[in-house]
Amino acid sequence: ARLAAAQARAYLRADELPAAKAAADEALAIHLGSHEAWLAQAEIARREGDATATIGAYDAAIALKPADARAWHGRGSAWGERDYLDRARADLDHALALDAKGLGYRGEQATVATQAEDWPAAESAYRQALADNPSDYVALTGLGLLQLKRGETQSALDSFLKAGVMEPRYARAHVYTGVAYYQLGDVAQALGEMRRAQELDEKDPLPHFLMAMIET
């Protein structure tokens, strides 16, 4: 089951969603109680934009192995995307308690604090995340969002571009890069970044919404 789940993640990374789903379903068919299989199911559901299935799969993974930080982090990130910020912060805090060095964990925590407009907590978490790992693209993207909210648009763009170099397939960085370009008056670059974000995460409505605003 673990091998089938790993295969599902590999297919997902290669944007072969039908093959990823087939491998993840095979993992569950082999062993319904496989923690790795439920993690793979959650990642696929999240890519598909199915929030209910995403949360349900992470719930199953947490029930099977509550001491594994990955499911707590994933569920916290999913809650954050839906703007359930209190739930997101609780899950991300728990993930960090289990694995203080988890890649992207502190950056995600800081991003949710930014969404909640808790600036001191957000800035402190970003500084800690980047001190621990300067290549944490989640933290860099979140730092850029904080800078955007503060009106520091050029600094925000620099943060987003660095994040994009570190992980070119991170759709969120491209969305906010587009916003920064638009605020700086470069409409062509802004639209280009939105199109790239659409390619990377076709289920996310935000790039489409922002493109409509830019075109208007």
Short mmCIF file of all heavy atoms in Angstrom, two decimals, residues 169-205:
data_model
loop_
_atom_site.label_atom_id
_atom_site.label_comp_id
_atom_site.label_asym_id
_atom_site.label_seq_id
_atom_site.Cartn_x
_atom_site.Cartn_y
_atom_site.Cartn_z
N ARG A 169 6.59 25.25 -9.42
CA ARG A 169 5.26 24.68 -9.55
C ARG A 169 4.32 25.09 -8.42
O ARG A 169 3.21 24.55 -8.31
CB ARG A 169 5.36 23.15 -9.61
CG ARG A 169 6.21 22.65 -10.76
CD ARG A 169 6.31 21.14 -10.75
NE ARG A 169 5.00 20.53 -10.82
CZ ARG A 169 4.28 20.43 -11.93
NH1 ARG A 169 4.75 20.87 -13.07
NH2 ARG A 169 3.07 19.88 -11.91
N TYR A 170 4.74 26.03 -7.59
CA TYR A 170 3.91 26.47 -6.47
C TYR A 170 2.94 27.54 -6.98
O TYR A 170 3.31 28.71 -7.14
CB TYR A 170 4.80 26.99 -5.35
CG TYR A 170 4.08 27.30 -4.06
CD1 TYR A 170 3.17 26.41 -3.51
CD2 TYR A 170 4.32 28.49 -3.38
CE1 TYR A 170 2.52 26.69 -2.31
CE2 TYR A 170 3.69 28.78 -2.18
CZ TYR A 170 2.79 27.87 -1.66
OH TYR A 170 2.15 28.15 -0.47
N ALA A 171 1.69 27.15 -7.21
CA ALA A 171 0.72 28.03 -7.87
C ALA A 171 0.46 29.30 -7.08
O ALA A 171 0.30 30.38 -7.67
CB ALA A 171 -0.59 27.27 -8.10
N ARG A 172 0.42 29.19 -5.76
CA ARG A 172 0.10 30.36 -4.94
C ARG A 172 1.10 31.49 -5.18
O ARG A 172 0.72 32.67 -5.22
CB ARG A 172 0.10 29.96 -3.46
CG ARG A 172 -0.45 31.05 -2.55
CD ARG A 172 -0.27 30.69 -1.08
NE ARG A 172 -0.95 29.48 -0.70
CZ ARG A 172 -0.87 28.94 0.52
NH1 ARG A 172 -0.10 29.50 1.45
NH2 ARG A 172 -1.52 27.83 0.81
N ALA A 173 2.38 31.15 -5.35
CA ALA A 173 3.39 32.18 -5.59
C ALA A 173 3.11 32.91 -6.90
O ALA A 173 3.28 34.14 -6.99
CB ALA A 173 4.79 31.56 -5.62
N HIS A 174 2.68 32.18 -7.93
CA HIS A 174 2.40 32.82 -9.22
C HIS A 174 1.18 33.75 -9.13
O HIS A 174 1.16 34.82 -9.75
CB HIS A 174 2.18 31.76 -10.29
CG HIS A 174 3.44 31.03 -10.67
ND1 HIS A 174 4.39 31.57 -11.51
CD2 HIS A 174 3.91 29.82 -10.29
CE1 HIS A 174 5.38 30.72 -11.65
NE2 HIS A 174 5.13 29.66 -10.91
N VAL A 175 0.17 33.35 -8.36
CA VAL A 175 -1.01 34.21 -8.19
C VAL A 175 -0.60 35.55 -7.60
O VAL A 175 -0.94 36.62 -8.12
CB VAL A 175 -2.05 33.52 -7.28
CG1 VAL A 175 -3.17 34.51 -6.93
CG2 VAL A 175 -2.64 32.29 -7.95
N TYR A 176 0.15 35.50 -6.50
CA TYR A 176 0.52 36.74 -5.82
C TYR A 176 1.58 37.53 -6.60
O TYR A 176 1.62 38.77 -6.51
CB TYR A 176 0.99 36.45 -4.40
CG TYR A 176 -0.10 35.93 -3.50
CD1 TYR A 176 0.10 34.83 -2.68
CD2 TYR A 176 -1.36 36.53 -3.48
CE1 TYR A 176 -0.90 34.35 -1.85
CE2 TYR A 176 -2.37 36.05 -2.67
CZ TYR A 176 -2.14 34.97 -1.85
OH TYR A 176 -3.14 34.48 -1.04
N THR A 177 2.42 36.83 -7.37
CA THR A 177 3.35 37.54 -8.25
C THR A 177 2.56 38.38 -9.25
O THR A 177 2.91 39.53 -9.53
CB THR A 177 4.26 36.55 -8.99
OG1 THR A 177 5.00 35.78 -8.05
CG2 THR A 177 5.25 37.29 -9.89
N GLY A 178 1.48 37.78 -9.78
CA GLY A 178 0.62 38.52 -10.70
C GLY A 178 0.00 39.75 -10.06
O GLY A 178 -0.07 40.82 -10.67
N VAL A 179 -0.43 39.61 -8.82
CA VAL A 179 -1.01 40.75 -8.10
C VAL A 179 0.03 41.86 -7.95
O VAL A 179 -0.26 43.05 -8.18
CB VAL A 179 -1.53 40.31 -6.72
CG1 VAL A 179 -1.96 41.53 -5.90
CG2 VAL A 179 -2.69 39.34 -6.86
N ALA A 180 1.25 41.47 -7.58
CA ALA A 180 2.30 42.48 -7.39
C ALA A 180 2.62 43.18 -8.71
O ALA A 180 2.76 44.42 -8.75
CB ALA A 180 3.55 41.82 -6.83
N TYR A 181 2.73 42.41 -9.78
CA TYR A 181 2.99 43.04 -11.09
C TYR A 181 1.87 44.01 -11.46
O TYR A 181 2.12 45.11 -11.97
CB TYR A 181 3.11 41.97 -12.18
CG TYR A 181 4.50 41.40 -12.35
CD1 TYR A 181 4.72 40.02 -12.34
CD2 TYR A 181 5.61 42.22 -12.55
CE1 TYR A 181 6.00 39.48 -12.51
CE2 TYR A 181 6.89 41.70 -12.72
CZ TYR A 181 7.06 40.33 -12.70
OH TYR A 181 8.33 39.81 -12.87
N TYR A 182 0.64 43.63 -11.20
CA TYR A 182 -0.48 44.50 -11.53
C TYR A 182 -0.42 45.79 -10.73
O TYR A 182 -0.63 46.89 -11.26
CB TYR A 182 -1.81 43.78 -11.26
CG TYR A 182 -3.00 44.66 -11.54
CD1 TYR A 182 -3.33 45.03 -12.84
CD2 TYR A 182 -3.79 45.14 -10.49
CE1 TYR A 182 -4.42 45.86 -13.09
CE2 TYR A 182 -4.87 45.96 -10.74
CZ TYR A 182 -5.18 46.32 -12.04
OH TYR A 182 -6.25 47.15 -12.28
N GLN A 183 -0.10 45.66 -9.43
CA GLN A 183 -0.02 46.87 -8.60
C GLN A 183 1.12 47.78 -9.05
O GLN A 183 1.06 49.00 -8.84
CB GLN A 183 0.16 46.48 -7.13
CG GLN A 183 -1.09 45.85 -6.52
CD GLN A 183 -0.97 45.66 -5.03
OE1 GLN A 183 0.03 46.01 -4.41
NE2 GLN A 183 -2.01 45.11 -4.42
N LEU A 184 2.14 47.19 -9.68
CA LEU A 184 3.26 47.99 -10.18
C LEU A 184 3.02 48.48 -11.61
O LEU A 184 3.89 49.12 -12.20
CB LEU A 184 4.55 47.18 -10.12
CG LEU A 184 5.07 46.88 -8.70
CD1 LEU A 184 6.19 45.85 -8.74
CD2 LEU A 184 5.54 48.16 -8.02
N GLY A 185 1.85 48.16 -12.18
CA GLY A 185 1.49 48.68 -13.49
C GLY A 185 1.87 47.82 -14.67
O GLY A 185 1.69 48.22 -15.83
N ASP A 186 2.40 46.60 -14.44
CA ASP A 186 2.80 45.71 -15.53
C ASP A 186 1.69 44.69 -15.76
O ASP A 186 1.72 43.57 -15.25
CB ASP A 186 4.12 45.02 -15.19
CG ASP A 186 4.75 44.33 -16.39
OD1 ASP A 186 4.01 44.00 -17.33
OD2 ASP A 186 5.98 44.12 -16.38
N VAL A 187 0.72 45.07 -16.59
CA VAL A 187 -0.47 44.24 -16.79
C VAL A 187 -0.13 42.95 -17.54
O VAL A 187 -0.64 41.87 -17.21
CB VAL A 187 -1.56 45.03 -17.53
CG1 VAL A 187 -2.75 44.14 -17.86
CG2 VAL A 187 -2.01 46.21 -16.67
N ALA A 188 0.73 43.04 -18.55
CA ALA A 188 1.06 41.85 -19.35
C ALA A 188 1.71 40.77 -18.47
O ALA A 188 1.34 39.59 -18.56
CB ALA A 188 2.00 42.23 -20.48
N GLN A 189 2.64 41.16 -17.62
CA GLN A 189 3.29 40.20 -16.72
C GLN A 189 2.28 39.64 -15.72
O GLN A 189 2.31 38.46 -15.37
CB GLN A 189 4.44 40.87 -15.97
CG GLN A 189 5.69 41.10 -16.82
CD GLN A 189 6.57 39.86 -16.88
OE1 GLN A 189 6.09 38.74 -16.78
NE2 GLN A 189 7.85 40.06 -17.06
N ALA A 190 1.39 40.50 -15.25
CA ALA A 190 0.38 40.07 -14.28
C ALA A 190 -0.50 38.97 -14.89
O ALA A 190 -0.74 37.93 -14.27
CB ALA A 190 -0.48 41.25 -13.84
N LEU A 191 -0.97 39.18 -16.11
CA LEU A 191 -1.82 38.20 -16.76
C LEU A 191 -1.06 36.91 -17.04
O LEU A 191 -1.60 35.81 -16.92
CB LEU A 191 -2.39 38.77 -18.06
CG LEU A 191 -3.40 39.91 -17.87
CD1 LEU A 191 -3.77 40.52 -19.22
CD2 LEU A 191 -4.66 39.42 -17.16
N GLY A 192 0.22 37.04 -17.40
CA GLY A 192 1.04 35.86 -17.64
C GLY A 192 1.17 34.99 -16.40
O GLY A 192 1.10 33.76 -16.47
N GLU A 193 1.37 35.63 -15.24
CA GLU A 193 1.48 34.89 -13.99
C GLU A 193 0.16 34.21 -13.62
O GLU A 193 0.14 33.08 -13.13
CB GLU A 193 1.92 35.82 -12.86
CG GLU A 193 3.34 36.34 -12.99
CD GLU A 193 4.39 35.25 -12.83
OE1 GLU A 193 4.10 34.22 -12.17
OE2 GLU A 193 5.50 35.41 -13.36
N MET A 194 -0.95 34.89 -13.88
CA MET A 194 -2.26 34.29 -13.60
C MET A 194 -2.50 33.06 -14.47
O MET A 194 -3.02 32.04 -14.01
CB MET A 194 -3.38 35.31 -13.81
CG MET A 194 -3.35 36.48 -12.85
SD MET A 194 -3.50 35.98 -11.11
CE MET A 194 -3.17 37.55 -10.31
N ARG A 195 -2.09 33.14 -15.74
CA ARG A 195 -2.26 31.98 -16.63
C ARG A 195 -1.41 30.81 -16.15
O ARG A 195 -1.84 29.66 -16.20
CB ARG A 195 -1.88 32.36 -18.06
CG ARG A 195 -2.83 33.36 -18.71
CD ARG A 195 -2.53 33.55 -20.19
NE ARG A 195 -3.26 34.68 -20.72
CZ ARG A 195 -2.76 35.90 -20.88
NH1 ARG A 195 -1.47 36.12 -20.58
NH2 ARG A 195 -3.49 36.87 -21.35
N ARG A 196 -0.20 31.10 -15.68
CA ARG A 196 0.67 30.04 -15.17
C ARG A 196 0.05 29.41 -13.93
O ARG A 196 0.07 28.17 -13.78
CB ARG A 196 2.05 30.62 -14.84
CG ARG A 196 3.04 29.62 -14.29
CD ARG A 196 3.27 28.48 -15.24
NE ARG A 196 4.25 27.54 -14.72
CZ ARG A 196 4.27 26.24 -14.99
NH1 ARG A 196 3.34 25.72 -15.81
NH2 ARG A 196 5.19 25.46 -14.49
N ALA A 197 -0.54 30.22 -13.07
CA ALA A 197 -1.20 29.68 -11.88
C ALA A 197 -2.38 28.79 -12.27
O ALA A 197 -2.61 27.74 -11.66
CB ALA A 197 -1.68 30.83 -10.98
N GLN A 198 -3.12 29.18 -13.31
CA GLN A 198 -4.24 28.36 -13.79
C GLN A 198 -3.74 27.01 -14.28
O GLN A 198 -4.38 25.98 -14.05
CB GLN A 198 -4.97 29.09 -14.91
CG GLN A 198 -5.77 30.29 -14.45
CD GLN A 198 -6.33 31.09 -15.61
OE1 GLN A 198 -6.01 30.84 -16.76
NE2 GLN A 198 -7.17 32.05 -15.31
N GLU A 199 -2.61 27.00 -14.98
CA GLU A 199 -2.06 25.75 -15.49
C GLU A 199 -1.64 24.81 -14.35
O GLU A 199 -1.83 23.60 -14.44
CB GLU A 199 -0.84 26.03 -16.38
CG GLU A 199 -1.17 26.75 -17.68
CD GLU A 199 0.09 27.24 -18.38
OE1 GLU A 199 1.20 26.99 -17.86
OE2 GLU A 199 -0.04 27.88 -19.44
N LEU A 200 -1.11 25.39 -13.29
CA LEU A 200 -0.60 24.59 -12.18
C LEU A 200 -1.71 24.08 -11.27
O LEU A 200 -1.57 23.02 -10.67
CB LEU A 200 0.40 25.41 -11.36
CG LEU A 200 1.72 25.73 -12.06
CD1 LEU A 200 2.51 26.75 -11.26
CD2 LEU A 200 2.55 24.47 -12.27
N ASP A 201 -2.79 24.84 -11.14
CA ASP A 201 -3.90 24.43 -10.27
C ASP A 201 -5.20 24.85 -10.94
O ASP A 201 -5.76 25.91 -10.65
CB ASP A 201 -3.76 25.08 -8.89
CG ASP A 201 -4.77 24.55 -7.89
OD1 ASP A 201 -5.62 23.73 -8.30
OD2 ASP A 201 -4.72 24.94 -6.71
N GLU A 202 -5.67 23.99 -11.84
CA GLU A 202 -6.81 24.36 -12.67
C GLU A 202 -8.12 24.45 -11.90
O GLU A 202 -9.11 24.99 -12.40
CB GLU A 202 -6.96 23.37 -13.82
CG GLU A 202 -7.19 21.94 -13.38
CD GLU A 202 -7.22 20.96 -14.53
OE1 GLU A 202 -6.63 21.29 -15.58
OE2 GLU A 202 -7.82 19.89 -14.38
N LYS A 203 -8.16 23.92 -10.67
CA LYS A 203 -9.38 23.96 -9.88
C LYS A 203 -9.50 25.21 -9.01
O LYS A 203 -10.54 25.45 -8.41
CB LYS A 203 -9.45 22.72 -8.97
CG LYS A 203 -9.49 21.40 -9.71
CD LYS A 203 -10.77 21.23 -10.50
CE LYS A 203 -10.83 19.85 -11.14
NZ LYS A 203 -12.09 19.64 -11.89
N ASP A 204 -8.45 26.00 -8.94
CA ASP A 204 -8.46 27.19 -8.09
C ASP A 204 -9.17 28.33 -8.83
O ASP A 204 -8.71 28.75 -9.90
CB ASP A 204 -7.02 27.59 -7.74
CG ASP A 204 -6.96 28.74 -6.75
OD1 ASP A 204 -8.03 29.24 -6.34
OD2 ASP A 204 -5.85 29.15 -6.39
N PRO A 205 -10.25 28.86 -8.28
CA PRO A 205 -10.96 29.94 -8.97
C PRO A 205 -10.27 31.30 -8.87
O PRO A 205 -10.57 32.21 -9.65
CB PRO A 205 -12.32 29.98 -8.26
CG PRO A 205 -12.02 29.49 -6.87
CD PRO A 205 -10.93 28.45 -7.04
#
